[in-house]
Coordinates of all heavy atoms in Angstrom, one line a residue:
A21 N 126.6 92.0 188.5 CA 127.3 93.3 188.4 C 128.8 93.1 188.7 O 129.2 92.2 189.4 CB 126.7 94.2 189.5
V22 N 129.5 93.9 188.0 CA 131.0 94.0 188.2 C 131.3 95.4 188.5 O 131.0 96.3 187.8 CB 131.7 93.5 186.9 CG1 133.2 93.7 187.1 CG2 131.5 92.0 186.7
Y23 N 132.1 95.6 189.6 CA 132.4 96.9 190.1 C 133.9 97.2 189.9 O 134.8 96.4 190.0 CB 132.1 97.0 191.6 CG 130.6 96.9 191.9 CD1 130.0 95.7 192.2 CD2 129.7 98.0 191.7 CE1 128.6 95.6 192.4 CE2 128.4 97.9 191.9 CZ 127.8 96.7 192.3 OH 126.5 96.5 192.5
I24 N 134.2 98.5 189.6 CA 135.5 99.0 189.6 C 135.8 99.6 191.0 O 135.3 100.6 191.4 CB 135.7 100.1 188.5 CG1 135.4 99.5 187.1 CG2 137.2 100.6 188.6 CD1 135.5 100.5 186.0
N25 N 136.6 98.8 191.8 CA 136.8 99.1 193.2 C 138.0 100.0 193.5 O 138.1 100.5 194.6 CB 136.8 97.8 194.0 CG 135.5 97.2 194.0 OD1 134.4 97.8 193.9 ND2 135.5 95.8 194.1
S26 N 138.9 100.1 192.5 CA 140.0 101.1 192.7 C 140.6 101.4 191.4 O 140.4 100.7 190.4 CB 141.1 100.4 193.6 OG 141.8 99.4 192.9
V27 N 141.2 102.6 191.3 CA 141.8 103.1 190.1 C 143.1 103.7 190.4 O 143.3 104.3 191.4 CB 140.9 104.1 189.3 CG1 139.5 103.5 189.0 CG2 140.7 105.4 190.2
A28 N 144.1 103.6 189.4 CA 145.4 104.3 189.5 C 145.9 104.6 188.1 O 145.7 103.8 187.2 CB 146.4 103.4 190.3
C29 N 146.5 105.7 188.0 CA 147.0 106.1 186.6 C 148.3 106.9 186.7 O 148.4 107.8 187.6 CB 145.9 106.9 186.0 SG 146.3 107.5 184.3
I30 N 149.2 106.6 185.8 CA 150.4 107.4 185.6 C 150.2 107.9 184.2 O 150.1 107.2 183.2 CB 151.7 106.6 185.7 CG1 151.9 106.2 187.2 CG2 152.9 107.4 185.3 CD1 153.0 105.2 187.5
S31 N 150.3 109.3 184.0 CA 150.0 109.9 182.7 C 150.8 111.2 182.5 O 151.6 111.5 183.4 CB 148.5 110.1 182.6 OG 148.1 111.2 183.5
A32 N 150.5 111.9 181.5 CA 151.1 113.2 181.3 C 150.6 114.2 182.3 O 151.2 115.3 182.4 CB 150.8 113.7 179.9

Side-chain angles (χ1 to χ4, degrees):
V22 172
Y23 295 95
I24 299 178
N25 292 331
S26 71
V27 301
C29 179
I30 293 173
S31 67

